[in-house]
Amino acid sequence: AKGAGRNRYRFFEAEMTVATQVRMALEVSLRPALARGEFELHYQPRIDLADMALYGMEALIRWNHPERGRVPPQQFIGIAEETGLIVAIGRWVLLEACTQTRRLMDAYRRQVVVSVNVSARQLALPGFVDEVREVLARTGLPPGCLELELTESALIEDIERTASMLRELKRLGVALAVDDFGTGYSGLAYLRRFPIDVLKLDRSFVQQHDEDVSTLGFVKAFVDMAHALDLAVVAEGVETAEILEFLRAARCDQAQGYYLARPMPLDDLRGVIEAHGAP
Ligand code: C2E
Ligand code: CA
Ligand code: CA
Ligand code: CA
């Protein structure tokens, strides 16, 4: 028994080592990835449920690793956050997203809102508001066409400082969204401390209410409450027509998900915009 325990321990240790090695290898190749131009942005359309028109899109980073191929953000955003690399990567994402969106708007003479994910580390930087201001000035993107997605955990890090910073961002004219809502601990009332415009309901929240008619009342009440607080509600991870109908019945404002459109390169997005027509 003692021997088996020891083997199990060794096995566990070996597994840890492999995981650590993969992680370290990723970390080593993550450092030069930005300079080597290995990142690109894909965009996932966000649709207005009232008329199914394209409202905007979320910028999602993609890493084309020279040996490993496409590495999912889940595998490297955490490393980027722990190492601080997220600051440089996030800066690139913001500039690239605003540059590409400005170009898209010029090509179609139509407004689209681009949502950019901002990590807690970026938000903690003293110069973050200036960075956003500079990127808007440099790219000429109207501030109202930029939305920043923040997670609940980023908001609670330093409530006073965060709240005053978000007020500065609001003065620039950008929109603010809380991402992955429903996965954290904060309720709606808590969010009143921050000048938030949009709640993005997490995929797990959306899918848990799947087709189930008994929860329609609950989701409806939730959406009504958000509306009373002047928040728009966006559902993420919409994978079926049934969920889409459910969300519409619950008076949810907008939706994003594979059923509507997957994240795609900018050139494919042009096709989507053409299909939706110019307003
Ligand atoms: P997120 O911000 O919650 O982004 C939504 C994720 O859900 C994306 O995964 C998207 O591809 C996926 N998704 C969209 N519709 C569906 C659906 O119908 N079903 C399912 N199962 N998934 C759907 P992705 O692109 O792999 O990104 C994962 C996470 O990585 C993001 O979650 C975000 O937290 C982070 N991330 C991505 N890009 C950036 C970035 O530029 N900066 C930062 N800081 N984080 C990023
Ligand atoms: Ca997001
Ligand atoms: Ca999300
Ligand atoms: Ca508002």
Side-chain angles (χ1 to χ4, degrees), residues 22-272:
V22 169
R23 221 198 108 90
M24 280 171 66
L26 276 183
E27 184 182 327
V28 166
S29 47
L30 192 58
R31 286 187 186 279
L34 195 56
R36 290 181 183 159
E38 292 169 7
F39 295 117
E40 71 178 304
L41 294 182
H42 280 193
Y43 295 92
Q44 186 177 35
R46 183 158 123 194
I47 306 295
D48 260 321
L49 289 179
D51 53 6
M52 295 305 276
L54 179 81
Y55 172 82
M57 69 263 180
E58 178 175 3
L60 294 159
I61 195 167
R62 298 293 177 257
W63 181 14
N64 301 309
H65 191 287
E67 288 110 39
R68 291 172 193 270
R70 182 70 52 79
V71 182
Q74 238 87 325
Q75 275 176 38
F76 71 87
I77 290 293
I79 299 175
E81 279 170 347
E82 284 160 37
T83 54
L85 289 168
I86 194 69
V87 171
I89 295 173
R91 191 169 286 149
W92 177 83
V93 169
L94 181 67
L95 180 60
E96 179 80 353
C98 292
T99 303
Q100 293 193 319
T101 303
R102 173 71 220 220
R103 251 186 247 141
L104 198 71
M105 282 176 46
D106 288 346
Y108 291 96
R109 305 226 180 97
R110 149 197 222 291
Q111 298 241 322
V112 275
V113 174
V114 67
S115 301
V116 174
N117 292 285
V118 175
S119 88
R121 284 290 284 264
Q122 291 174 272
L123 207 59
L125 288 177
F128 184 68
V129 178
D130 291 331
E131 184 187 328
V132 174
R133 185 186 296 112
E134 277 157 28
V135 166
L136 290 171
R138 197 167 146 191
T139 59
L141 187 76
C145 291
L146 175 64
E147 180 180 280
L148 302 174
E149 297 194 6
L150 320 161
T151 58
E152 288 174 72
S153 51
L155 294 179
I156 60 162
E157 226 145 77
D158 182 347
I159 292 172
E160 284 318 310
R161 187 189 157 272
T162 307
S164 87
M165 190 176 177
L166 297 191
R167 284 194 294 272
E168 274 186 74
L169 287 168
K170 280 311 301 174
R171 278 198 289 274
L172 289 184
V174 304
L176 300 174
V178 175
D179 201 0
D180 305 335
F181 190 82
T183 55
Y185 2 74
S186 57
L188 276 176
Y190 173 87
L191 292 178
R192 299 178 73 174
R193 298 157 175 256
F194 307 103
I196 298 293
D197 306 286
V198 174
L199 278 189
K200 294 195 83 175
L201 295 185
D202 190 67
R203 192 165 78 227
S204 59
F205 184 94
V206 171
Q207 289 174 353
Q208 150 199 333
H209 294 290
D210 190 73
E211 309 164 47
D212 185 352
V213 189
S214 65
T215 61
L216 181 62
F218 171 77
V219 177
K220 227 181 212 155
F222 174 85
V223 173
D224 286 345
M225 213 152 42
H227 286 165
L229 294 170
D230 198 21
L231 295 163
V233 182
V234 183
E236 292 191 295
V238 176
E239 292 182 352
T240 65
E242 289 76 19
I243 296 183
L244 191 69
E245 271 324 300
F246 177 94
L247 292 165
R248 216 199 297 271
R251 293 189 283 266
C252 184
D253 301 283
Q254 297 171 340
Q256 230 179 287
Y258 293 167
Y259 176 72
L260 296 158
R262 289 189 174 250
M264 59 185 86
L266 189 77
D267 285 343
D268 296 353
L269 195 73
R270 292 172 182 272
V272 173

